[in-house]
Amino acid sequence: MHRSEKVWLTLSFGMIMLFMLATGYQSYALEMGPPSNMETIDPQKVDQTAPFDNPGVKQIGDNEYEVVMTLQVFSFNPGKLEFPAGSTVHFTLTSKDVVHGFQVANTNINAMVMPGHIQKITQKFDKPGEYLVLCNEYCGAGHQMMATTITVK
Amino acid sequence: MATVPHSLNDKSVTRSFKEKTGKMLGVNPQDAKFTKTYMFVAFAALLLGGILGLLQGLNRAGFMELSPQHYYQVLTAHGLLLVVVFSGFFCIGYFYAAMSHTLGGLLPKVRKMAWTGFALKIAGFVLAVIPILMNQASVMYTFYPPMAASPVYYIGLALIVVGIWLCCFGAFIQVANWRKQNPGKHVPILSFFATGVFVLLFFGSVPVAIEVLVLVLPWSLGWVDTINVMLSRTLFWAFGHTYVNIWYMTAVSAWYVVIPKLIGGRRWNDTLTRVVVIALVIMNITGGFHHQIIDPGIEEPIKFMHVFMSLAIGFPSLMTAYAMFAVFERTSRRQGGKGLLGWYKKMPWGDVRFLAPMIAMIGFIPAGAGGIAQSTNQLDQVVHNSLWITGHFHLTLGISVALTFFGISYWLIPHVSKRVLTRKMNRFGVVQTILWTVGMIFMSGAMHTVGLFGSPRRTAFTTYFDNATALSWNPYMTLIGLGAILLVIAAVMQVYAAFNLMFFAPKGEEEFPIAEAEVGDVTGYWTERWGLWVALLIIVVAMAYVIPLTDMIVNAPPGSPPFKTW
Ligand code: HEM
Ligand SMILES: [Cu+2]
Ligand SMILES: [Cu+2]
C-alpha cells in the first residue's frame, strides 16, 4: 500500500468516525434523536383507546402544548392548528389504517406514523407564519391531498 | 493463510494460452444467446420505464394532467420496470457473460438453470404487471402492508425471487466447478465479482422471500386476518437496500476491471480489489435500517448502531475512489502525462465505452457524499421521504449504475452478437451519454433542492389547496419536467443503440475488455475463502437483526387488516 493510500484511508476512517460522533452527540447529549417511540396500540381500536379516543390540542404549560392526533386516509385529526409564537408542541400520533408520514415543511418535524405504533415528536415554533403539514408516505389515491396547516401567531 | 505464489513466467504463459483459446473458440453461441436475451429484456424495460418516467415528470411539473390513480399506477410500474427488470436483468446478463468469458463457457447444467430462472422471472413479472394494469396493485415496489394488493401481485414477486435464486445457484455451481478444475488458482477477477454479487443476491433476497411467503401472501389471500406491519417493512429493507448495492457492485466491477483496459492501463492492486468485494459482501445487508431511521418501534441505541453499520459500507467505496484515481494517474504517467491531474488529458473521452462509466464514477462522488450524509439520524430526518431521496437514487442508480450499464452495453451487446461498435455508433453514444447526464443533473438537482424544502416523493401533482409553501416549489417541479424530457430522449437513443448493436450493426468481433493485473501483483489465496466470508456475513446480519426483529415479534401490537386505499 502506498503512503498516500494509507493517508486517504485514515482520513476516510476518521471522517466516518466523525459522523458517528456527531450523530451520537446530537442523539444523546442534545436529545435530538430521531423519533423512535416504543409504545403500541391496537390499530383497530384507536377510537376507543386513550388518548386517541379524544384527539385534540391541550395546553400543558406556559407556551407548551400537547397534540393528540390520528392520521387516516386522507386527513389529520385535528387539522388547522394554531399556536402562539414560541410554543413548544408535543405531538402524539398514530394511524387508523395504513402507513402515513407526518412532515411539517420548514421545520425538522418528520416521522413515520404506523398502524399499531404510537409515534412522538416535539417541535418549538418560534417564527410566526403558516406551516404546511403533509403526509409524505404514499398512502393511496388521495395521498396528494393529505395536508393541513399549523398557524403560528 | 495459504498463499500460492506463482512465478511471473508461468502466469504469462497461462495468460497467453487463455487468450489463444479464447480467440479460437470465440463467444460460445449458446451463452451469447442467453446474455442477448437478458439485454433485450433489460433495454425493453428501460424504454417502457423511461416513458412512464416522462409521464411522472410531466405530471409533477404540471405540464400534463394525469389522474392521481393513474399517477400511482404509473409510478408502481416505473419502479418495478427499472429496478426489478432493467437493473436486475442487466446485472445477471452481464455477469453470466463474464463467467462464460473468463471461466471457459457455461456448463450445460448451469445454462439450463439460468434459462429456467429466466422463464420464472418473466412469468413472475407478467403476473405482477396484470394487477397493476387492473388497478389492483398500486402499492409501489415496496408494497408496505397494510396496503394490500391483489395476491397475484405477490405471487408474481415470489416467482421473480425464485427465478433469481436459480441464477444464483447456477453461478455458484459454475464457479465451484472451475475451482475444482483449477486448484490453487484465483477465480478470475470478474468472476470473483460475480461470486460476490450472487452471494449477496441470494442472502439479500431471503428476507423478502420470508416477508412475501410467510407474512404477506397468506394475509392477502385472507388465510390470516392481520399482519405485523413493522416486521414486514424491516424484512423488506433488509432486501431492498442490499439489492440496490448489488447493482452498485456490478457497476464497480466494470470500474475496476474494464475501465483500466479502455485507457490502456492495468488493474489496481488485485488483493485490495478483492478485499473491496469481500467487504461489500459482508457488510451490506445490515444497511437496510437506514431506511427506517424515523420509524417508531425501533429503539434509539439500535438506530445508532445501524448508523455505524451503514456508514461502514462507505469505507470500501472510499477505497474505490482512491483506486480509480490511482489507476488513472499511473496509466497517464506511463504514457507521458505529468502532474497529479495531468491524467485527464490522456483519457479517451471520445470513447463511449469509457466516457459513460467515467461520468458514472464522477457522479458517485456527490452521490456517495449525499448517501453518507443522509445515513446519519438527524440529517435523514430532514430529507426522509422527500424528493431529495428520489434525487439521490436517480444520481446513484440513474447516473452511477445506469450510465455504467449503458457504457458496458456498447461493447457487450456487439461482443455477444458478433457485431462491432462502429465509429458512427460510438459518436451517437457519446451524444446520448451527454444528454442523459444533463437530463439527470437537471432532474436530480431539482429533486434534491426541492426535497430539502420539504416536497414529498411519491406524490401526484398537487399544490395542497394552493398553499403558499407548496406553490413556491413549482419552479423546481418545472425543472424536473424538463430534465425528464431530456432523459427520455436519451433513453430512446440508448435503446435504439442497444437494438441496433444487437441486430443490425456490421458483423465482426468486438473485444470483451478485461485489464491485466500489474506485473508482479501477487494475490493472497486467503481471498478465496468464501465459506469464511459467508459465515462473517451471517454473523454481521445476526448482530444487526436478531435484537430488533425479536423485539418486533415479541412486543408486537395487534396486527393490521388489509386495506385497498387507491
Ligand atoms: C427516462 C428516465 C427517467 C425519468 C424521466 C424518471 C423520472 C422519475 C420521477 C419523476 C420519479 C418520481 C416520482 C415520485 O416520487 O413522485 C421517479 C421515481 C423513481 N425512479 Fe425514475 N426516472 C427515470 C429513470 C430511472 C432509472 C434509470 C431508474 C433506475 C434504474 C429509476 C428508478 C426510479 C425509482 C426506483 C423510483 C421510485 C419509485 C417509487 O417511489 O416507488 N428511474 N422517476
Ligand atoms: Cu397519508
Ligand atoms: Cu439503502
Side-chain angles (χ1 to χ4, degrees):
Chain A
M1 237 190 249
H2 284 271
R3 250 245 338 262
S4 58
E5 180 166 26
K6 283 189 188 135
V7 171
W8 169 259
L9 292 182
T10 310
L11 285 177
S12 300
F13 185 75
M15 183 188 71
I16 287 174
M17 291 324 282
L18 215 68
F19 267 99
M20 283 308 292
L21 287 176
T23 306
Y25 180 72
Q26 285 184 310
S27 295
Y28 295 106
L30 303 180
E31 300 200 337
M32 281 166 55
S36 314
N37 198 41
M38 297 300 288
E39 293 159 88
T40 58
I41 182 173
D42 184 338
Q44 300 193 67
K45 299 208 178 86
V46 173
D47 288 336
Q48 295 94 288
T49 311
F52 298 99
D53 53 350
N54 188 16
V57 184
K58 211 166 64 191
Q59 182 157 15
I60 54 170
D62 272 355
N63 270 334
E64 201 163 346
Y65 297 83
E66 192 192 338
V67 177
V68 174
M69 183 186 272
T70 60
L71 285 76
Q72 52 273 307
V73 287
F74 299 99
S75 67
F76 299 89
N77 179 29
K80 300 244 176 247
L81 307 176
E82 283 188 22
F83 304 102
S87 304
T88 300
V89 185
H90 307 279
F91 294 90
T92 302
L93 313 152
T94 196
S95 164
K96 286 165 69 170
D97 40 52
V98 298
V99 181
H100 297 280
F102 181 69
Q103 184 192 332
V104 183
N106 302 322
T107 71
N108 286 334
I109 295 184
N110 193 354
M112 300 302 300
V113 182
M114 313 263 171
H117 294 265
I118 300 174
Q119 182 65 300
K120 289 192 168 169
I121 193 162
T122 296
Q123 173 80 26
K124 187 156 185 266
F125 290 93
D126 283 322
K127 243 175 69 192
E130 190 189 70
Y131 291 83
L132 173 62
V133 181
L134 57 88
C135 169
N136 66 9
E137 181 64 83
Y138 167 68
C139 56
H143 165 61
Q144 71 289 342
M145 297 185 316
M146 186 164 165
T148 185
T149 54
I150 293 175
T151 308
V152 176
K153 286 200 284 232
Chain B
M1 269 182 249
T3 48
V4 178
H6 32 195
S7 78
L8 281 177
N9 267 343
D10 80 52
K11 214 175 178 183
S12 51
V13 167
T14 48
R15 209 177 270 151
S16 66
F17 175 70
K18 222 193 298 159
E19 269 165 21
K20 267 189 209 127
T21 48
K23 275 204 190 91
M24 249 155 48
L25 300 172
V27 204
N28 176 316
Q30 281 174 293
D31 298 351
K33 192 164 134 206
F34 179 82
T35 293
K36 247 171 24 185
T37 313
Y38 267 70
M39 292 292 145
F40 185 89
V41 174
F43 285 99
L46 176 69
L47 182 64
L48 281 177
I51 293 169
L52 298 182
L54 174 71
L55 299 183
Q56 290 152 214
L58 293 181
N59 174 263
R60 295 210 70 163
F63 295 162
M64 191 189 75
E65 287 237 14
L66 200 62
S67 79
Q69 269 101 335
H70 285 137
Y71 185 86
Y72 299 122
Q73 253 176 315
V74 163
L75 186 56
T76 304
H78 175 79
L80 214 59
L81 277 167
L82 286 162
V83 298
V84 178
V85 188
F86 170 66
S87 313
F89 276 72
F90 189 96
C91 166
I92 291 179
Y94 162 75
F95 275 127
Y96 265 76
M99 288 191 300
S100 167
H101 185 73
T102 61
L103 303 180
L106 298 176
L107 302 170
K109 178 167 58 173
V110 169
R111 213 179 286 131
K112 217 187 222 151
M113 283 175 83
W115 274 116
T116 314
F118 178 82
L120 283 175
K121 279 187 287 183
I122 294 288
F125 180 68
V126 170
L127 284 186
V129 163
I130 293 170
I132 297 179
L133 292 176
M134 292 168 56
N135 200 28
Q136 295 296 318
S138 295
V139 291
M140 309 292 149
Y141 70 97
T142 47
F143 58 93
Y144 297 139
M147 282 178 111
S150 149
V152 178
Y153 182 70
Y154 305 117
I155 294 171
L157 296 182
L159 282 182
I160 294 176
V161 171
V162 177
I164 289 175
W165 284 353
L166 279 178
C167 295
C168 294
F169 297 143
F172 299 151
I173 294 172
Q174 180 76 27
V175 172
N177 176 71
W178 187 91
R179 280 169 41 131
K180 208 163 20 168
Q181 298 191 336
N182 297 272
K185 282 217 197 109
H186 288 283
V187 173
I189 187 70
L190 262 188
S191 290
F192 191 86
F193 268 101
T195 312
V197 158
F198 285 111
V199 166
L200 261 187
L201 203 47
F202 175 71
F203 283 97
S205 52
V206 170
V208 78
I210 297 175
E211 183 200 357
V212 169
L213 295 177
V214 180
L215 299 175
V216 178
L217 196 53
W219 167 77
S220 76
L221 285 165
W223 298 348
V224 293
D225 296 330
T226 64
I227 195 166
N228 184 331
V229 173
M230 270 310 286
L231 183 62
S232 315
R233 185 178 163 81
T234 306
L235 289 173
F236 179 84
W237 279 118
F239 155 78
H241 168 80
T242 311
Y243 200 39
V244 172
N245 280 265
I246 283 165
W247 312 318
Y248 166 63
M249 246 172 97
T250 308
V252 168
S253 76
W255 302 352
Y256 273 104
V257 181
V258 175
I259 288 188
K261 175 79 176 180
L262 297 174
I263 64 175
R266 285 171 179 266
R267 284 198 282 118
W268 178 242
N269 181 305
D270 189 64
T271 306
L272 289 178
T273 309
R274 287 171 200 253
V275 167
V276 166
V277 176
I278 295 164
L280 286 172
V281 167
I282 293 174
M283 301 196 296
N284 230 320
I285 297 181
T286 55
F289 268 90
H290 61 217
H291 297 260
Q292 297 179 274
I293 291 174
I294 62 172
D295 277 11
I298 304 172
E299 270 170 301
E300 267 193 59
I302 299 281
K303 287 185 179 175
F304 187 62
M305 170 179 83
H306 277 281
V307 173
F308 180 68
M309 293 202 149
S310 285
L311 288 178
I313 307 169
F315 193 71
S317 296
L318 288 158
M319 285 175 75
T320 302
Y322 181 90
M324 292 303 114
F325 286 98
V327 166
F328 293 149
E329 209 234 351
R330 196 163 68 192
T331 307
S332 99
R333 275 188 203 279
R334 280 186 196 150
Q335 297 170 357
K338 288 198 182 59
L340 206 55
L341 292 173
W343 56 267
Y344 79 89
K345 285 187 218 139
K346 295 274 172 196
M347 297 292 124
W349 296 103
D351 180 347
V352 64
R353 300 172 306 161
F354 168 79
L355 179 70
M358 183 68 190
I359 294 176
M361 277 175 13
I362 296 171
F364 202 72
I365 298 171
I372 289 179
Q374 78 210 18
S375 289
T376 56
N377 289 341
Q378 290 78 13
L379 295 175
D380 177 76
Q381 194 175 328
V382 175
V383 296
H384 181 85
N385 267 351
S386 75
L387 272 175
W388 166 285
I389 300 299
T390 321
H392 169 70
F393 61 67
H394 281 90
L395 201 54
T396 49
L397 282 181
I399 292 273
S400 300
V401 171
L403 265 184
T404 303
F405 288 4
F406 293 173
I408 292 171
S409 77
Y410 281 100
W411 55 261
L412 180 60
I413 293 181
H415 172 79
V416 293
S417 309
K418 293 207 167 284
R419 295 176 190 277
V420 290
L421 173 65
T422 59
R423 289 182 60 176
K424 214 168 116 198
M425 183 54 86
N426 177 57
R427 233 174 305 140
F428 181 84
V430 169
V431 174
Q432 181 260 332
T433 301
I434 292 169
L435 260 182
W436 180 270
T437 308
V438 176
M440 272 300 172
I441 290 173
F442 269 99
M443 189 172 90
S444 159
M447 283 173 165
H448 273 97
T449 316
V450 77
L452 273 184
F453 299 151
S455 182
R457 66 183 288 199
R458 293 181 160 178
T459 304
F461 175 79
T462 178
T463 59
Y464 291 117
F465 320 108
D466 289 333
N467 178 281
T469 308
L471 287 172
S472 74
W473 299 333
N474 278 347
Y476 300 96
M477 295 307 197
T478 308
L479 282 180
I480 291 175
L482 293 178
I485 294 172
L486 289 182
L487 277 170
V488 85
I489 298 172
V492 169
M493 287 173 72
Q494 169 61 42
V495 174
Y496 165 79
F499 291 167
N500 183 282
L501 290 168
M502 199 177 285
F503 300 115
F504 306 110
K507 298 241 181 221
E509 292 286 338
E510 188 67 44
E511 163 196 36
F512 194 125
I514 295 182
E516 300 288 345
E518 283 291 343
V519 181
D521 184 0
V522 179
T523 312
Y525 195 71
W526 57 270
T527 53
E528 298 286 338
R529 299 182 61 181
W530 281 102
L532 179 59
W533 312 142
V534 169
L536 286 174
L537 175 158
I538 292 171
I539 290 170
V540 171
V541 169
M543 272 165 52
Y545 277 94
V546 169
I547 294 173
L549 284 184
T550 310
D551 188 42
M552 280 171 204
I553 295 167
V554 176
N555 298 321
S560 287
F563 290 92
K564 180 173 183 290
T565 55
W566 67 92

